[in-house]
Amino acid sequence: MDNKAMARLLAETADLIEIDGGDSFRVRSYRRAAEAAEQTTVNLSSADTEQLLEIDGIGKSMAAKLQAIASTGKLEQRDELLAKYGVGVLELLRLPGMGPKTVALLWAAAQIGSIELLAEAIESGRLKGLPRMGAKQIEKLRKGVEDHRRSSGRFRIDTADEEARRIAAYLMQFKGIAKVTPAGSLRRGRETVGDLDLLATGPACEPERTGPAVEHVAAYPGIYNMIAKGENKVSFNLEQGLQVDVRLLPTASYGAALQYFTGSKGHNVTLRQRALKMGYTLNEWALARLDNGETVAAATEEEIYAVLGVDWMPPEMRENLGEIELAAAHKLPGIVALEDICGDVHMHTTDSDGHDSIREMADAALGCGYKYIAITDHSKFLGVTNGLDEKRALEQIKQVQAVDRAMEGRIRVFTGIEVDVLADGALALDDEVLAQLDVVIASVHSRFEQSREEMTARTLRAIENPYVRILGHPTGRLLLRREPFAIDMAAVAKRAAELGVAMEHNASPERLDLNDRDLRLAKELGCSIVMSSDSHSTRSLGRMGYGARQLRRAWLTPGDVLNTRNAKDFLAGLRPRA
Ligand code: DGT
Ligand code: CA
Ligand code: CA
Ligand code: ZN
C-alpha cells in the first residue's frame, strides 16, 4: 500500500471517530498522522519504528497503527466503526459541504448513513422537522446529492486519455500485442468518460492462446483492484476509481470489435437496423449474411461501413444525430482537425496568474507550430490576484510588441486581455485601454449564482461594448466541479452573431466551454468560434487536442473556426476594431 492510501485510511478513521462522538484528542491525532503520512517522503510500508517516530506528527501509537496497516492492509478501529455505521457513511462524507458533524446529526436523527438514504429522506420530506434541518440546509443537501449523481463515476477526458496512454504503452511491451486502441467514449472524444475501453490485438490475442497476454494485462502495476479476469477480457479499477476494460481480440475481427465498442450505443442500434434491412447481422465479431452466416466484413471498420453503403466517419460523429443518413448520402461534412488550428489566442503569463513569461509562451507556441498567439492576461478584479490595471495593461502592450519584433516574423504575438465582466455587465477596464488591444476577451469569473435573466443581461451588456471581440468560456462551468451558470445561450449567441463577437471554445480540459451542443447552436445562429487553450504555463499549450475533439463532436468545419485562418485573416475575421 502506498503512503497516499495509508493516509486515506487514517483520515477516514478520524472522521468515523468524530461521527461516533469519540474523544476529540483522538480525532486530532489521527488527522495529524494522516497529514504526516500524506506529506512524508519516507516509504511508510517499509519503514521501521524508529524511522516512523522521526516523522513529525507520528507518535508511538500511530507508528504501531501504520505498521499494522502495512502488514494487513487494514486498520481495526476503522473496520469496527464501519461495521457499526456501514460503508455508506464514507461516501456521504464526500458530498460537498458534508463533514463528520452533519453525518453524525443525520445518523442520530434518522439513521441516515448513505447518499441513497439521504436522497430518500429528502424526497419523502422526512428531513423536515429534524433538529437543525431548516429549509436552507435541506436545499443545500439536495443540491449536493444531485451534483454527486451527475458527476459520480465519471472522469475528465484528460485523466482518461493519460491513463489510456500509460496502459497502452505497458501492453505494447508484450511481444504478441501489436496494437492497442482506445474505444468507447474516449475514442468518441466525450468530455468525460464513465469507464475506459481498450482493445488490443496481435498474435498473442488469437483465440485459445490468450493466456500469457491476459496474465500480462493483469500484472499492470497501476491496478488498484481486479474486477474480472476472463479469457479475452480483463477488467480492473485504477487507484482513483476509474474502471478499465481491456479486451484481447483476434486480428480478423478487430474492425468489428472496434466499431462495436466505439459506439455510441445509439449509433450502433441504427447501424444494426440498417444491416438487418440489407440482409446482414452486425455484432462485435463480424458483419455476416443473415441467410447462411457467412462473414462479409470484420477486419476493419472501413470494410464494414462500405458493405453497408455508408462512408466511414470519425468516431466523434457517432452519436446517432443523423450521421449514418448523411454518410449513406455521401454528404458527411469535412470536420475540423487539430492540425487546422493556426494560432492560440487566450493565454496568461507571469504578469497575472501564469507561470511563464511572454517570451517563453511565444517560444513554446512556436514549438507547437502556431503562426500566432495573443497574450491575454487577467484584468484587475476583486477575485483575481495580480490582474492588470489600466497602467500595467498599457505597459504590457509595449512588452508584447517587443517580443513580437524579437520573433522576427517566425510567429506573430498579438496584444490582448481577458477582461472581467462585472456583476452588472460593465467591464473591469476603461474603454481607452481596451481600444488599444488586438484581442479583447470578456469573461465572467464571479457571481455565478445570478438568475438566468441577470446573467443573460450581464453577458449581453458585456458584448455590446464595441471593443469586445471574443466571449470567453461562456458558461463558466468546471467539469465535474461546477455546473454551468444559468444563461439564455440562444439569445447571447444570436446577439454575438449580429455584433460579430466570436464565441470561445475554451479547450482547457477542465472547462471545454462551450460544450459540443452549444457549439452546434452557436454555429446555427451564425457565430464564429475561436478555440483557445487558456494556458497558464507553456506546458498546457499542448492540451488543445481535447478541445479539437469537442469541435469535431459539434461537426464544425475549418470554416466555422476563426483561428484556422492565418494571422491576417484571423484578425480580419474578428469584430472590426471600433
Ligand atoms: P461511458 O463509458 O459511459 O463513457 O460510455 P461508452 O460509450 O464508452 O459506453 P460503454 O463503456 O458502456 O460501452 C462501450 C461501447 O460498447 C458503447 O459505446 C457501445 C457498445 N455497447 C455497449 N453496450 C451496448 C449495447 O447494449 N448495445 C450496443 N449496440 N452496443 C453496446
Ligand atoms: Ca466506456
Ligand atoms: Ca466499458
Ligand atoms: Zn477566464
Side-chain angles (χ1 to χ4, degrees), residues 496-554:
E498 287 165 6
L499 294 168
V501 172
M503 294 274 236
E504 178 178 80
H505 173 69
N506 189 298
S508 159
E510 59 179 14
R511 291 189 183 272
L512 298 175
D513 182 8
L514 296 174
N515 70 13
D516 48 7
R517 279 206 321 277
D518 285 339
L519 283 169
R520 207 179 265 252
L521 174 74
K523 173 185 172 162
E524 272 163 25
L525 294 171
C527 279
S528 296
I529 305 297
V530 172
M531 172 163 74
S532 302
S533 73
D534 193 0
S535 286
H536 286 68
S537 72
T538 54
R539 270 190 322 160
S540 36
L541 287 169
R543 301 191 302 180
M544 199 86 111
Y546 299 119
R549 308 293 300 274
Q550 309 313 309
L551 303 185
R552 291 164 65 76
R553 288 176 59 80

Short mmCIF file of all heavy atoms in Angstrom, two decimals, residues 496-554:
data_model
loop_
_atom_site.label_atom_id
_atom_site.label_comp_id
_atom_site.label_asym_id
_atom_site.label_seq_id
_atom_site.Cartn_x
_atom_site.Cartn_y
_atom_site.Cartn_z
N ALA A 496 -24.40 37.90 -30.36
CA ALA A 496 -22.98 37.85 -30.68
C ALA A 496 -22.79 37.76 -32.19
O ALA A 496 -21.91 38.42 -32.76
CB ALA A 496 -22.32 36.66 -29.99
N ALA A 497 -23.62 36.96 -32.84
CA ALA A 497 -23.52 36.81 -34.29
C ALA A 497 -23.78 38.16 -34.97
O ALA A 497 -23.05 38.55 -35.89
CB ALA A 497 -24.51 35.76 -34.78
N GLU A 498 -24.80 38.88 -34.50
CA GLU A 498 -25.11 40.19 -35.10
C GLU A 498 -23.96 41.17 -34.93
O GLU A 498 -23.65 41.95 -35.82
CB GLU A 498 -26.36 40.78 -34.43
CG GLU A 498 -27.66 40.09 -34.83
CD GLU A 498 -28.83 40.44 -33.90
OE1 GLU A 498 -28.66 41.30 -33.00
OE2 GLU A 498 -29.89 39.84 -34.07
N LEU A 499 -23.34 41.11 -33.74
CA LEU A 499 -22.27 42.07 -33.44
C LEU A 499 -20.92 41.66 -34.01
O LEU A 499 -19.99 42.45 -34.04
CB LEU A 499 -22.13 42.22 -31.91
CG LEU A 499 -23.32 42.84 -31.17
CD1 LEU A 499 -23.15 42.65 -29.67
CD2 LEU A 499 -23.43 44.32 -31.52
N GLY A 500 -20.81 40.41 -34.44
CA GLY A 500 -19.53 39.92 -34.91
C GLY A 500 -18.58 39.51 -33.80
O GLY A 500 -17.38 39.41 -34.00
N VAL A 501 -19.14 39.29 -32.61
CA VAL A 501 -18.32 38.81 -31.49
C VAL A 501 -18.20 37.30 -31.61
O VAL A 501 -19.22 36.61 -31.79
CB VAL A 501 -18.96 39.19 -30.14
CG1 VAL A 501 -18.22 38.53 -28.98
CG2 VAL A 501 -18.98 40.71 -29.98
N ALA A 502 -16.98 36.79 -31.52
CA ALA A 502 -16.80 35.33 -31.61
C ALA A 502 -17.04 34.70 -30.25
O ALA A 502 -16.85 35.33 -29.21
CB ALA A 502 -15.39 35.01 -32.09
N MET A 503 -17.48 33.44 -30.26
CA MET A 503 -17.65 32.70 -29.02
C MET A 503 -16.42 31.82 -28.85
O MET A 503 -15.96 31.19 -29.81
CB MET A 503 -18.87 31.78 -29.11
CG MET A 503 -20.16 32.54 -29.22
SD MET A 503 -20.72 32.95 -27.58
CE MET A 503 -22.32 32.21 -27.69
N GLU A 504 -15.93 31.75 -27.61
CA GLU A 504 -14.76 30.92 -27.35
C GLU A 504 -15.16 29.46 -27.14
O GLU A 504 -16.18 29.17 -26.52
CB GLU A 504 -14.04 31.42 -26.10
CG GLU A 504 -12.81 30.59 -25.72
CD GLU A 504 -12.10 31.14 -24.49
OE1 GLU A 504 -12.53 30.89 -23.35
OE2 GLU A 504 -11.09 31.85 -24.69
N HIS A 505 -14.33 28.56 -27.68
CA HIS A 505 -14.32 27.22 -27.12
C HIS A 505 -13.04 27.13 -26.32
O HIS A 505 -11.95 27.08 -26.90
CB HIS A 505 -14.36 26.10 -28.16
CG HIS A 505 -14.18 24.75 -27.53
ND1 HIS A 505 -15.12 24.19 -26.70
CD2 HIS A 505 -13.12 23.90 -27.52
CE1 HIS A 505 -14.67 23.04 -26.23
NE2 HIS A 505 -13.45 22.85 -26.70
N ASN A 506 -13.17 27.14 -25.01
CA ASN A 506 -12.03 27.08 -24.11
C ASN A 506 -11.61 25.62 -24.00
O ASN A 506 -12.34 24.79 -23.47
CB ASN A 506 -12.45 27.65 -22.75
CG ASN A 506 -11.28 27.84 -21.82
OD1 ASN A 506 -10.61 26.88 -21.47
ND2 ASN A 506 -11.03 29.07 -21.43
N ALA A 507 -10.41 25.32 -24.55
CA ALA A 507 -10.00 23.91 -24.70
C ALA A 507 -9.36 23.33 -23.46
O ALA A 507 -8.96 22.17 -23.46
CB ALA A 507 -9.05 23.78 -25.89
N SER A 508 -9.24 24.12 -22.40
CA SER A 508 -8.72 23.57 -21.16
C SER A 508 -9.62 22.41 -20.74
O SER A 508 -10.83 22.57 -20.66
CB SER A 508 -8.70 24.65 -20.08
OG SER A 508 -8.66 24.04 -18.82
N PRO A 509 -9.04 21.21 -20.49
CA PRO A 509 -9.89 20.04 -20.25
C PRO A 509 -10.74 20.16 -18.98
O PRO A 509 -11.64 19.35 -18.77
CB PRO A 509 -8.91 18.88 -20.16
CG PRO A 509 -7.58 19.49 -19.95
CD PRO A 509 -7.62 20.88 -20.51
N GLU A 510 -10.48 21.16 -18.15
CA GLU A 510 -11.38 21.32 -17.02
C GLU A 510 -12.57 22.20 -17.38
O GLU A 510 -13.52 22.28 -16.62
CB GLU A 510 -10.65 21.85 -15.80
CG GLU A 510 -9.97 23.18 -15.98
CD GLU A 510 -9.30 23.60 -14.67
OE1 GLU A 510 -9.15 22.74 -13.78
OE2 GLU A 510 -8.93 24.77 -14.56
N ARG A 511 -12.55 22.83 -18.54
CA ARG A 511 -13.68 23.66 -18.96
C ARG A 511 -14.41 23.10 -20.18
O ARG A 511 -15.58 22.82 -20.15
CB ARG A 511 -13.19 25.08 -19.29
CG ARG A 511 -12.72 25.87 -18.07
CD ARG A 511 -12.48 27.33 -18.47
NE ARG A 511 -11.95 28.14 -17.37
CZ ARG A 511 -12.70 28.78 -16.48
NH1 ARG A 511 -14.01 28.72 -16.56
NH2 ARG A 511 -12.14 29.49 -15.53
N LEU A 512 -13.72 22.99 -21.30
CA LEU A 512 -14.33 22.58 -22.58
C LEU A 512 -15.67 23.32 -22.75
O LEU A 512 -16.74 22.71 -22.86
CB LEU A 512 -14.49 21.06 -22.65
CG LEU A 512 -13.14 20.31 -22.58
CD1 LEU A 512 -13.32 18.81 -22.54
CD2 LEU A 512 -12.24 20.69 -23.77
N ASP A 513 -15.55 24.65 -22.80
CA ASP A 513 -16.70 25.55 -22.72
C ASP A 513 -16.58 26.57 -23.84
O ASP A 513 -15.56 27.26 -23.89
CB ASP A 513 -16.63 26.23 -21.33
CG ASP A 513 -17.79 27.17 -21.05
OD1 ASP A 513 -18.74 27.20 -21.83
OD2 ASP A 513 -17.71 27.86 -20.02
N LEU A 514 -17.53 26.65 -24.75
CA LEU A 514 -18.81 25.98 -24.96
C LEU A 514 -18.69 24.47 -25.15
O LEU A 514 -17.73 24.01 -25.76
CB LEU A 514 -19.46 26.54 -26.23
CG LEU A 514 -19.84 28.01 -26.20
CD1 LEU A 514 -20.33 28.45 -27.57
CD2 LEU A 514 -20.95 28.24 -25.18
N ASN A 515 -19.70 23.74 -24.71
CA ASN A 515 -19.70 22.30 -24.94
C ASN A 515 -20.18 21.98 -26.36
O ASN A 515 -20.56 22.88 -27.11
CB ASN A 515 -20.53 21.58 -23.87
CG ASN A 515 -22.02 21.84 -24.02
OD1 ASN A 515 -22.48 22.37 -25.04
ND2 ASN A 515 -22.79 21.47 -23.02
N ASP A 516 -20.14 20.71 -26.71
CA ASP A 516 -20.47 20.33 -28.09
C ASP A 516 -21.87 20.79 -28.54
O ASP A 516 -22.05 21.26 -29.66
CB ASP A 516 -20.27 18.82 -28.30
CG ASP A 516 -20.91 17.96 -27.21
OD1 ASP A 516 -21.63 18.52 -26.34
OD2 ASP A 516 -20.70 16.73 -27.22
N ARG A 517 -22.85 20.69 -27.65
CA ARG A 517 -24.21 21.08 -28.03
C ARG A 517 -24.33 22.58 -28.26
O ARG A 517 -24.92 23.03 -29.23
CB ARG A 517 -25.21 20.64 -26.96
CG ARG A 517 -25.60 19.19 -27.06
CD ARG A 517 -27.00 18.94 -26.47
NE ARG A 517 -27.23 19.71 -25.25
CZ ARG A 517 -26.83 19.34 -24.04
NH1 ARG A 517 -26.17 18.22 -23.89
NH2 ARG A 517 -27.09 20.08 -22.99
N ASP A 518 -23.74 23.36 -27.34
CA ASP A 518 -23.79 24.82 -27.50
C ASP A 518 -22.98 25.29 -28.71
O ASP A 518 -23.32 26.29 -29.34
CB ASP A 518 -23.30 25.51 -26.23
CG ASP A 518 -24.34 25.45 -25.10
OD1 ASP A 518 -25.54 25.25 -25.42
OD2 ASP A 518 -23.96 25.60 -23.93
N LEU A 519 -21.91 24.57 -29.03
CA LEU A 519 -21.12 24.93 -30.22
C LEU A 519 -21.98 24.80 -31.47
O LEU A 519 -21.96 25.64 -32.37
CB LEU A 519 -19.90 24.01 -30.35
CG LEU A 519 -18.72 24.30 -29.42
CD1 LEU A 519 -17.73 23.16 -29.47
CD2 LEU A 519 -18.05 25.61 -29.81
N ARG A 520 -22.74 23.73 -31.51
CA ARG A 520 -23.63 23.48 -32.63
C ARG A 520 -24.67 24.60 -32.74
O ARG A 520 -24.94 25.13 -33.82
CB ARG A 520 -24.34 22.16 -32.36
CG ARG A 520 -24.80 21.39 -33.54
CD ARG A 520 -25.43 20.12 -33.02
NE ARG A 520 -24.46 19.05 -33.01
CZ ARG A 520 -24.52 18.05 -33.89
NH1 ARG A 520 -25.48 17.99 -34.76
NH2 ARG A 520 -23.63 17.10 -33.86
N LEU A 521 -25.23 24.96 -31.57
CA LEU A 521 -26.22 26.03 -31.51
C LEU A 521 -25.61 27.35 -31.99
O LEU A 521 -26.19 28.06 -32.80
CB LEU A 521 -26.73 26.17 -30.07
CG LEU A 521 -27.67 27.34 -29.78
CD1 LEU A 521 -29.05 27.05 -30.37
CD2 LEU A 521 -27.79 27.58 -28.27
N ALA A 522 -24.42 27.66 -31.48
CA ALA A 522 -23.75 28.91 -31.85
C ALA A 522 -23.53 28.97 -33.36
O ALA A 522 -23.76 30.00 -34.00
CB ALA A 522 -22.43 29.05 -31.11
N LYS A 523 -23.11 27.85 -33.93
CA LYS A 523 -22.90 27.82 -35.38
C LYS A 523 -24.21 28.06 -36.13
O LYS A 523 -24.27 28.85 -37.06
CB LYS A 523 -22.30 26.48 -35.78
CG LYS A 523 -22.21 26.32 -37.28
CD LYS A 523 -21.73 24.95 -37.71
CE LYS A 523 -21.86 24.84 -39.23
NZ LYS A 523 -21.07 23.75 -39.80
N GLU A 524 -25.26 27.36 -35.68
CA GLU A 524 -26.55 27.52 -36.34
C GLU A 524 -27.02 28.96 -36.33
O GLU A 524 -27.68 29.43 -37.24
CB GLU A 524 -27.62 26.65 -35.65
CG GLU A 524 -27.69 25.25 -36.20
CD GLU A 524 -28.44 24.31 -35.25
OE1 GLU A 524 -29.26 24.80 -34.45
OE2 GLU A 524 -28.17 23.09 -35.32
N LEU A 525 -26.68 29.68 -35.24
CA LEU A 525 -27.12 31.07 -35.11
C LEU A 525 -26.14 32.04 -35.76
O LEU A 525 -26.31 33.25 -35.67
CB LEU A 525 -27.33 31.41 -33.63
CG LEU A 525 -28.48 30.63 -32.98
CD1 LEU A 525 -28.52 30.84 -31.48
CD2 LEU A 525 -29.82 31.03 -33.60
N GLY A 526 -25.11 31.49 -36.40
CA GLY A 526 -24.23 32.34 -37.20
C GLY A 526 -22.99 32.88 -36.50
O GLY A 526 -22.33 33.78 -37.02
N CYS A 527 -22.67 32.33 -35.32
CA CYS A 527 -21.48 32.81 -34.59
C CYS A 527 -20.20 32.21 -35.16
O CYS A 527 -20.18 31.06 -35.57
CB CYS A 527 -21.53 32.35 -33.14
SG CYS A 527 -22.55 33.36 -32.13
N SER A 528 -19.13 32.99 -35.07
CA SER A 528 -17.81 32.42 -35.31
C SER A 528 -17.30 31.84 -34.00
O SER A 528 -17.61 32.34 -32.93
CB SER A 528 -16.84 33.50 -35.77
OG SER A 528 -17.25 34.01 -37.00
N ILE A 529 -16.50 30.78 -34.13
CA ILE A 529 -15.91 30.14 -32.95
C ILE A 529 -14.40 30.38 -32.97
O ILE A 529 -13.78 30.35 -34.03
CB ILE A 529 -16.17 28.62 -32.98
CG1 ILE A 529 -17.67 28.32 -33.13
CG2 ILE A 529 -15.58 27.95 -31.76
CD1 ILE A 529 -18.53 28.81 -31.98
N VAL A 530 -13.85 30.65 -31.79
CA VAL A 530 -12.40 30.68 -31.64
C VAL A 530 -12.03 29.66 -30.57
O VAL A 530 -12.61 29.68 -29.49
CB VAL A 530 -11.91 32.08 -31.19
CG1 VAL A 530 -10.43 32.04 -30.83
CG2 VAL A 530 -12.17 33.12 -32.28
N MET A 531 -11.12 28.75 -30.90
CA MET A 531 -10.69 27.77 -29.88
C MET A 531 -9.36 28.22 -29.29
O MET A 531 -8.44 28.56 -30.03
CB MET A 531 -10.52 26.38 -30.49
CG MET A 531 -9.88 25.43 -29.46
SD MET A 531 -10.06 23.70 -29.83
CE MET A 531 -8.89 23.51 -31.15
N SER A 532 -9.28 28.24 -27.96
CA SER A 532 -8.07 28.69 -27.28
C SER A 532 -7.75 27.76 -26.12
O SER A 532 -8.62 27.09 -25.59
CB SER A 532 -8.26 30.10 -26.73
OG SER A 532 -8.60 30.98 -27.77
N SER A 533 -6.46 27.77 -25.72
CA SER A 533 -6.07 26.83 -24.65
C SER A 533 -6.22 27.42 -23.26
O SER A 533 -6.23 26.68 -22.28
CB SER A 533 -4.62 26.38 -24.86
OG SER A 533 -3.74 27.43 -24.53
N ASP A 534 -6.30 28.76 -23.14
CA ASP A 534 -6.37 29.37 -21.81
C ASP A 534 -5.21 28.88 -20.95
O ASP A 534 -5.39 28.58 -19.77
CB ASP A 534 -7.73 29.06 -21.15
CG ASP A 534 -8.00 29.91 -19.92
OD1 ASP A 534 -7.15 30.75 -19.56
OD2 ASP A 534 -9.07 29.72 -19.31
N SER A 535 -4.04 28.80 -21.57
CA SER A 535 -2.88 28.24 -20.85
C SER A 535 -2.39 29.19 -19.77
O SER A 535 -2.35 30.40 -19.96
CB SER A 535 -1.74 27.98 -21.83
OG SER A 535 -2.02 26.86 -22.62
N HIS A 536 -1.98 28.60 -18.66
CA HIS A 536 -1.34 29.37 -17.60
C HIS A 536 0.13 28.98 -17.48
O HIS A 536 0.82 29.40 -16.58
CB HIS A 536 -2.07 29.18 -16.27
CG HIS A 536 -3.39 29.90 -16.23
ND1 HIS A 536 -4.47 29.56 -17.01
CD2 HIS A 536 -3.78 31.00 -15.53
CE1 HIS A 536 -5.47 30.39 -16.77
NE2 HIS A 536 -5.08 31.27 -15.88
N SER A 537 0.61 28.15 -18.42
CA SER A 537 2.03 27.80 -18.48
C SER A 537 2.29 27.22 -19.86
O SER A 537 1.36 26.86 -20.59
CB SER A 537 2.38 26.76 -17.41
OG SER A 537 1.83 25.51 -17.77
N THR A 538 3.58 27.14 -20.24
CA THR A 538 3.92 26.61 -21.57
C THR A 538 3.45 25.17 -21.71
O THR A 538 3.09 24.74 -22.80
CB THR A 538 5.45 26.65 -21.79
OG1 THR A 538 6.08 25.97 -20.70
CG2 THR A 538 5.96 28.08 -21.84
N ARG A 539 3.44 24.45 -20.59
CA ARG A 539 3.09 23.02 -20.66
C ARG A 539 1.68 22.78 -21.15
O ARG A 539 1.41 21.81 -21.85
CB ARG A 539 3.25 22.37 -19.29
CG ARG A 539 4.63 21.80 -19.05
CD ARG A 539 4.62 20.98 -17.80
NE ARG A 539 3.77 21.66 -16.81
CZ ARG A 539 3.22 21.08 -15.78
NH1 ARG A 539 3.40 19.81 -15.58
NH2 ARG A 539 2.47 21.77 -14.93
N SER A 540 0.74 23.66 -20.78
CA SER A 540 -0.65 23.36 -21.14
C SER A 540 -1.02 23.82 -22.55
O SER A 540 -2.14 23.58 -22.99
CB SER A 540 -1.62 23.91 -20.09
OG SER A 540 -1.19 25.12 -19.58
N LEU A 541 -0.08 24.46 -23.27
CA LEU A 541 -0.38 24.81 -24.67
C LEU A 541 -0.75 23.57 -25.46
O LEU A 541 -1.57 23.63 -26.38
CB LEU A 541 0.84 25.48 -25.31
CG LEU A 541 1.16 26.92 -24.87
CD1 LEU A 541 2.53 27.33 -25.38
CD2 LEU A 541 0.09 27.88 -25.37
N GLY A 542 -0.16 22.43 -25.09
CA GLY A 542 -0.37 21.20 -25.85
C GLY A 542 -1.70 20.53 -25.60
O GLY A 542 -1.99 19.48 -26.17
N ARG A 543 -2.53 21.11 -24.75
CA ARG A 543 -3.80 20.44 -24.42
C ARG A 543 -4.93 20.80 -25.37
O ARG A 543 -6.07 20.43 -25.15
CB ARG A 543 -4.21 20.76 -22.99
CG ARG A 543 -3.17 20.32 -21.96
CD ARG A 543 -3.68 20.39 -20.56
NE ARG A 543 -4.11 21.74 -20.22
CZ ARG A 543 -4.62 22.08 -19.05
NH1 ARG A 543 -4.75 21.18 -18.10
NH2 ARG A 543 -5.00 23.31 -18.81
N MET A 544 -4.61 21.54 -26.45
CA MET A 544 -5.64 21.99 -27.38
C MET A 544 -6.39 20.81 -28.02
O MET A 544 -7.52 20.96 -28.46
CB MET A 544 -4.98 22.85 -28.45
CG MET A 544 -5.93 23.74 -29.20
SD MET A 544 -6.20 25.29 -28.37
CE MET A 544 -5.39 26.39 -29.53
N GLY A 545 -5.74 19.65 -28.07
CA GLY A 545 -6.36 18.49 -28.71
C GLY A 545 -7.69 18.09 -28.09
O GLY A 545 -8.60 17.64 -28.78
N TYR A 546 -7.82 18.27 -26.77
CA TYR A 546 -9.09 17.92 -26.12
C TYR A 546 -10.21 18.81 -26.63
O TYR A 546 -11.35 18.38 -26.78
CB TYR A 546 -8.96 18.04 -24.60
CG TYR A 546 -7.91 17.12 -24.02
CD1 TYR A 546 -6.81 17.64 -23.34
CD2 TYR A 546 -8.01 15.75 -24.18
CE1 TYR A 546 -5.83 16.79 -22.82
CE2 TYR A 546 -7.04 14.90 -23.66
CZ TYR A 546 -5.95 15.42 -22.98
OH TYR A 546 -5.00 14.60 -22.47
N GLY A 547 -9.88 20.08 -26.88
CA GLY A 547 -10.88 21.00 -27.42
C GLY A 547 -11.24 20.65 -28.85
O GLY A 547 -12.40 20.68 -29.25
N ALA A 548 -10.21 20.30 -29.63
CA ALA A 548 -10.46 19.95 -31.03
C ALA A 548 -11.48 18.80 -31.11
O ALA A 548 -12.33 18.76 -32.00
CB ALA A 548 -9.15 19.56 -31.72
N ARG A 549 -11.40 17.88 -30.15
CA ARG A 549 -12.35 16.77 -30.14
C ARG A 549 -13.78 17.28 -29.98
O ARG A 549 -14.72 16.75 -30.57
CB ARG A 549 -12.04 15.79 -28.99
CG ARG A 549 -10.60 15.28 -28.92
CD ARG A 549 -10.22 14.40 -30.08
NE ARG A 549 -11.02 13.21 -30.22
CZ ARG A 549 -10.81 12.05 -29.60
NH1 ARG A 549 -9.79 11.93 -28.77
NH2 ARG A 549 -11.59 11.02 -29.82
N GLN A 550 -13.95 18.32 -29.17
CA GLN A 550 -15.30 18.86 -28.95
C GLN A 550 -15.81 19.57 -30.21
O GLN A 550 -16.98 19.46 -30.56
CB GLN A 550 -15.33 19.83 -27.75
CG GLN A 550 -14.71 19.25 -26.48
CD GLN A 550 -15.19 17.85 -26.15
OE1 GLN A 550 -16.40 17.59 -26.12
NE2 GLN A 550 -14.26 16.93 -25.92
N LEU A 551 -14.92 20.31 -30.89
CA LEU A 551 -15.33 20.97 -32.14
C LEU A 551 -15.78 19.91 -33.14
O LEU A 551 -16.76 20.10 -33.87
CB LEU A 551 -14.17 21.78 -32.73
CG LEU A 551 -13.52 22.85 -31.86
CD1 LEU A 551 -12.47 23.62 -32.68
CD2 LEU A 551 -14.56 23.83 -31.32
N ARG A 552 -15.06 18.81 -33.18
CA ARG A 552 -15.41 17.72 -34.10
C ARG A 552 -16.75 17.09 -33.72
O ARG A 552 -17.56 16.74 -34.58
CB ARG A 552 -14.30 16.66 -34.11
CG ARG A 552 -13.02 17.16 -34.76
CD ARG A 552 -11.80 16.29 -34.46
NE ARG A 552 -11.87 14.94 -35.01
CZ ARG A 552 -11.68 14.65 -36.28
NH1 ARG A 552 -11.40 15.60 -37.15
NH2 ARG A 552 -11.74 13.40 -36.70
N ARG A 553 -16.98 16.95 -32.41
CA ARG A 553 -18.27 16.41 -31.96
C ARG A 553 -19.43 17.32 -32.35
O ARG A 553 -20.56 16.88 -32.47
CB ARG A 553 -18.24 16.19 -30.44
CG ARG A 553 -17.36 15.03 -30.01
CD ARG A 553 -17.27 14.90 -28.51
NE ARG A 553 -18.59 14.70 -27.92
CZ ARG A 553 -19.25 13.54 -27.89
NH1 ARG A 553 -18.68 12.47 -28.40
NH2 ARG A 553 -20.43 13.47 -27.35
N ALA A 554 -19.11 18.62 -32.51
CA ALA A 554 -20.15 19.56 -32.93
C ALA A 554 -20.22 19.66 -34.46
O ALA A 554 -20.97 20.48 -34.99
CB ALA A 554 -19.87 20.94 -32.32
#
